[in-house]
Amino acid sequence: MVKKLINDKERFLSDMLDGLKHRDPEIEIIEDTVVVRKEKKSSGVALVSGGGSGHEPAHAGYVAQGMLDAAVCGEVFTSPTPDKVLAAIKAVDNGDGVLLIIKNYSGDVMNFEMAQEMAEAEGHNVASVIVRDDVSIDNEEQRRGVAGTVVVHKYAGHLAEQGASLDDIVEKVKGMMSTLYSIGMAIHPCLVPTTGEYGFDLAEDEMEIGIGIHGEKGISREKAEGVDKIVNRLLDELFKHTDGSRLIVMVNGMGATPESELSIVTKYVMEALNDRGITVSKLLVGDYMTALDMQGFSLTILDEDDEILEALEADTGSKYFK
């Protein structure tokens, strides 16, 4: 038996969604695994995202006013099937178009794009954007979508609330993503409940740099260091891709990182950025995009922009974006 707070590994997703309904009276579950707003928007572009479970509060936690209209939930670390994505599109489309926000993983891209083609064949106006913010991978086309995806949810959600057209949202989101960069690390892997196995083995004195959000090991394995050195190690990688002096910054927990340690990380992030002459226009700290019970954190940076700042500070019905 896997030492997890579950009853049956085969019911991980269904039990989780049943509990989520009790926690959030503003949502409902359709087609077994699709989370939608209980009150459908009467106008404005609808946003659909999703992917495998295990990243909570992403993605279902962002189904709320000002963010997503639907989240399609797959099994743990497994992409949802095209028919479920299609059901989400059809459920939220009010005639003003639907935007799919896709993390750059092969299963997600294939299944969401297939659903888009199916929806378009039925007369729906659908567009998509693919998030590639993980700079631990050199090839830009292969970069994974990680914590920066949540910033995309918030920005696109605000634009939709303001009445922007589908084409305008796509253009602005793509512009924003051109300066969106993330990288993560872990000091302990996650235990995947459906397999009963850890994503990778890690000695007590080791850390992984460049981890993914599906329990994958990092791009490099190194001796564990103090937080200040880890922070600078990650910032060195991020600043290979930007020369911006005014940034939006996210410090994201990976699921099992205590709030106290996230605060310690934040202290050293802010000190390191100050030493580099960087002004932080907006700071986000918390669990936004996790990997079950992985212990570690990721950093996301984004060039300051007045419209993006306005979007990130706008009210949302999601209690997880703060």
Side-chain angles (χ1 to χ4, degrees):
M1 181 178 177
V2 180
K3 195 174 183 181
K4 284 284 192 179
L5 297 177
I6 61 176
N7 257 7
D8 180 348
K9 65 181 182 180
E10 301 299 328
R11 291 190 53 82
F12 182 95
L13 177 57
S14 59
D15 282 353
M16 180 188 75
L17 293 177
D18 285 344
L20 190 62
K21 287 189 295 185
H22 292 290
R23 297 179 63 184
D24 187 352
E26 302 301 317
I27 63 165
E28 61 182 352
I29 314 299
I30 64 170
E31 300 293 323
D32 298 325
T33 60
V34 178
V35 181
V36 297
R37 297 194 208 179
K38 190 168 288 186
E39 294 189 12
K40 178 179 175 178
K41 284 192 315 197
S42 59
S43 63
V45 173
L47 307 184
V48 176
S49 191
S53 297
H55 307 303
E56 289 70 33
H59 302 80
Y62 304 123
V63 175
Q65 174 273 326
M67 294 190 75
L68 300 179
D69 294 273
V72 193
C73 303
E75 297 292 338
V76 175
F77 298 160
T78 303
S79 175
T81 54
D83 60 306
K84 300 291 187 178
V85 181
L86 177 61
I89 294 170
K90 294 168 70 171
V92 301
D93 189 7
N94 54 43
D96 288 337
V98 177
L99 176 65
L100 304 181
I101 300 171
I102 310 169
K103 301 188 305 302
N104 193 33
Y105 288 88
S106 57
D108 285 353
V109 172
M110 178 178 66
N111 290 341
F112 274 76
E113 289 187 342
M114 189 179 301
Q116 178 177 348
E117 293 175 3
M118 295 162 64
E120 289 172 338
E122 294 186 21
H124 297 274
N125 182 20
V126 185
S128 60
V129 293
I130 299 175
V131 186
R132 299 179 173 93
D133 57 312
D134 183 4
V135 300
S136 67
I137 296 174
D138 290 333
N139 186 318
E140 291 187 26
E141 289 300 309
Q142 296 178 358
R143 287 178 184 166
R144 302 169 292 199
V146 287
T149 308
V150 181
V151 181
V152 176
H153 292 166
K154 189 65 171 66
Y155 182 45
H158 178 70
L159 293 173
E161 291 281 336
Q162 300 303 304
S165 70
L166 181 58
D167 288 344
D168 284 345
I169 295 176
V170 169
E171 180 181 357
K172 289 185 176 183
V173 165
K174 286 183 175 180
M176 182 266 272
M177 291 192 302
S178 68
T179 69
L180 182 68
Y181 306 107
S182 301
I183 188 170
M185 63 79 61
I187 57 174
H188 198 280
C190 63
L191 178 62
V192 182
T194 50
T195 65
E197 298 179 354
Y198 286 100
F200 51 87
D201 296 318
L202 197 59
E204 286 300 314
D205 63 344
E206 293 178 327
M207 64 180 180
E208 291 280 327
I209 300 293
I211 48 92
I213 57 171
H214 294 96
E216 311 100 317
K217 65 181 181 179
I219 303 303
S220 65
R221 179 168 297 184
E222 304 175 12
K223 290 294 183 182
E225 299 179 300
V227 174
D228 57 339
K229 291 183 174 60
I230 295 172
V231 163
N232 275 291
R233 170 82 167 77
L234 298 186
L235 288 176
D236 284 345
E237 294 300 317
L238 291 172
F239 277 93
K240 291 177 181 178
H241 305 276
T242 183
D243 56 5
S245 60
R246 301 182 66 87
L247 299 175
I248 296 162
V249 177
M250 172 187 282
V251 181
N252 173 62
M254 297 307 300
T257 309
E259 283 286 328
S260 55
E261 293 180 23
L262 273 186
S263 293
I264 292 170
V265 170
T266 302
K267 169 191 172 177
Y268 289 103
V269 168
M270 296 301 284
E271 287 184 358
L273 291 174
N274 182 66
D275 290 345
R276 294 169 187 246
I278 303 298
T279 298
V280 177
S281 305
K282 176 72 175 177
L283 175 65
L284 300 164
V285 181
D287 283 353
Y288 292 94
M289 178 77 74
T290 64
L292 292 171
D293 58 350
M294 185 179 286
Q295 191 170 359
F297 69 95
S298 65
L299 299 181
T300 299
I301 61 173
L302 172 66
D303 283 357
E304 178 193 85
D305 175 276
D306 288 343
E307 187 174 54
I308 296 172
L309 279 174
E310 178 184 328
L312 296 181
E313 293 173 353
D315 289 338
T316 173
S318 171
K319 64 182 178 181
Y320 301 105
F321 194 96
K322 54 189 185 297

